[in-house]
Amino acid sequence: MKELIKEMQAVAQQLLASGEVKGVLGWTKGSRWYLTPPLFIQSVEEVEKLHYDEFAVNNLTSLLLDYRNSDEKIAIFVKGCDSRGILRLIQDKQVQKEKVHIIGLPCFGMVDKEAVQDHRNRHNLPLLNKCQECRYPNPVLADQALGAVTITKEPARPTGLTAEVANQKGVGQKAEARYEQVQAIEAMSADEKYDFWQKQHEKCIRCYACRNICPACNCRECIFESDQKGWVNKAATKADNAFFGITRAMHVAGRCVDCGECERVCPAGIPIMAINRKIMQDIDELFGSYDAGTDLEEAGPLNHFKLDDPEEFM
């Protein structure tokens, strides 16, 4: 791990010293051993603050939106899921590829800091569910790769310096079972489904954490914070929460990169990925297998029209 961190710091120092980039997005060691929050540095003197470990869970992609109007180039460190988010932003024309220097990293498999009960126990911490279900632990897009990681657009096992650790933890071990929750909900009766989602929407406090972390939720002005009246009430009622949740799910349909950050940051524990994956499953069945955020040249099935597209709904 120390070898990889030193490599990250050296690359950041070179990029900043040469003036190739104006700033670098990465992670730093937080105030607790189980915290590794995002970090933005702009000087060579700050590179020693860069850190990377199994708590560097934050997808940094959405932070690039703060610089989408800037003419200056930004460097960003990415894991596999993060790189899919950047590809999403480039395809949505929110970020210009030439304005971002992407540095690919191998992934340890991120652990669930919420499961830290005994702050003295640093061993056998559970892997985040989203990492257990991950199919793309390696960056799909990068200008340079560190830690001997392989850049690939295909689903694969973890590679690079952290591969052994990631495999031992179980990264990707539940990848083939990622639709189990969708199937469980589909097996419910109509009334049971209604009751299930009513209970979920009742928990929502509309903090918009899911929207703020999502690389596919990249509108310059969100409809749910628009000054125009009539879209949704400010009060977090079940009806308005349902409207928000369903609208957001359809907004990212065909564009969700399956990073699971929306569900991870939800303070109410709502299974947001269940509805996202239901839509993914339907898209695969209707238009053929498609993984958003893996191929820069491939337009999503809902982003273009073909004469042989299925039209059963018309």
Side-chain angles (χ1 to χ4, degrees):
M1 187 186 303
K2 290 182 179 179
E3 178 185 346
L4 180 56
I5 293 172
K6 287 186 178 298
E7 193 176 1
M8 292 170 61
Q9 293 173 347
V11 167
Q13 182 172 0
Q14 185 273 321
L15 289 170
L16 288 168
S18 66
E20 184 177 347
V21 302
K22 181 65 175 179
V24 178
L25 272 169
W27 303 270
T28 190
K29 199 58 196 166
S31 57
R32 298 287 187 272
W33 60 266
Y34 52 87
L35 299 177
T36 306
L39 172 73
F40 182 67
I41 61 174
Q42 293 182 284
S43 68
V44 171
E45 291 73 26
E46 296 176 290
V47 297
E48 290 187 358
K49 295 179 181 178
L50 285 168
H51 187 76
Y52 184 55
D53 59 19
E54 59 191 359
F55 295 103
V57 62
N58 294 76
N59 187 333
L60 305 176
T61 306
S62 59
L63 299 179
L64 283 175
L65 293 174
D66 292 337
Y67 307 97
R68 60 181 154 191
N69 295 324
S70 174
D71 291 329
E72 295 166 334
K73 193 170 186 177
I74 302 295
I76 182 171
F77 290 101
V78 297
K79 308 181 293 292
C81 52
D82 308 339
S83 68
R84 294 180 68 186
I86 291 183
L87 195 147
R88 174 75 273 145
L89 292 181
I90 295 172
Q91 286 186 316
D92 287 347
K93 302 189 184 306
Q94 298 298 318
V95 170
Q96 298 178 51
K97 174 64 180 69
E98 59 271 19
K99 295 297 181 183
V100 183
H101 185 85
I102 306 168
I103 309 166
L105 298 174
C107 185
F108 299 94
M110 300 295 126
V111 300
D112 187 359
K113 68 179 180 63
E114 301 301 329
V116 177
Q117 302 295 328
D118 182 352
H119 289 187
R120 295 167 297 179
N121 180 21
R122 306 188 182 200
H123 305 289
N124 301 318
L125 295 174
L127 192 67
L128 281 167
N129 191 58
K130 70 172 199 165
C131 294
Q132 296 179 48
E133 297 173 343
C134 180
R135 297 167 62 234
Y136 291 89
N138 308 302
V140 300
L141 180 71
D143 295 299
Q144 65 183 119
L146 306 185
V149 71
T150 299
I151 309 301
T152 174
K153 296 187 291 185
E154 302 299 327
R157 299 299 303 159
T159 64
L161 294 178
T162 63
E164 184 177 353
V165 173
N167 285 317
Q168 287 175 350
K169 286 182 179 178
V171 171
Q173 67 179 356
K174 294 183 179 179
E176 299 305 316
R178 65 191 183 282
Y179 289 121
E180 281 186 351
Q181 188 177 32
V182 174
Q183 293 162 356
I185 296 173
E186 285 181 326
M188 297 177 183
S189 67
D191 287 341
E192 288 172 333
K193 291 175 186 175
Y194 179 81
D195 290 341
F196 174 82
W197 286 112
Q198 280 288 89
K199 289 177 182 177
Q200 302 307 320
H201 294 140
E202 189 172 25
K203 294 190 294 183
C204 177
I205 59 174
R206 287 235 304 281
C207 62
Y208 299 129
C210 56
R211 177 203 65 185
N212 294 344
I213 198 70
C214 178
C217 272
N218 52 47
C219 296
R220 292 177 182 271
E221 181 183 12
C222 179
I223 190 174
F224 293 102
E225 292 184 323
S226 172
D227 291 333
Q228 297 182 32
K229 304 296 182 182
W231 288 110
V232 66
N233 293 319
K234 296 297 183 183
T237 65
K238 279 192 288 188
D240 286 316
N241 292 348
F243 179 59
F244 165 69
I246 295 170
T247 301
R248 184 185 172 279
M250 295 308 299
H251 174 54
V252 303
R255 299 166 53 248
C256 172
V257 297
D258 204 20
C259 69
E261 281 288 84
C262 55
E263 187 168 303
R264 180 185 70 84
V265 301
C266 177
I270 298 171
I272 300 171
M273 286 305 298
I275 191 167
N276 288 346
R277 283 184 171 152
K278 167 58 179 170
I279 295 172
M280 290 179 200
Q281 189 179 59
D282 288 348
I283 288 174
D284 284 352
E285 291 175 0
L286 287 169
F287 301 101
S289 180
Y290 174 72
D291 289 331
T294 58
D295 190 336
L296 197 57
E297 305 303 321
E298 183 180 11
L302 302 185
N303 292 351
H304 67 291
F305 169 74
K306 291 182 179 179
L307 291 175
D308 59 350
D309 278 344
E311 298 180 351
E312 289 86 350
F313 56 89
M314 296 180 67

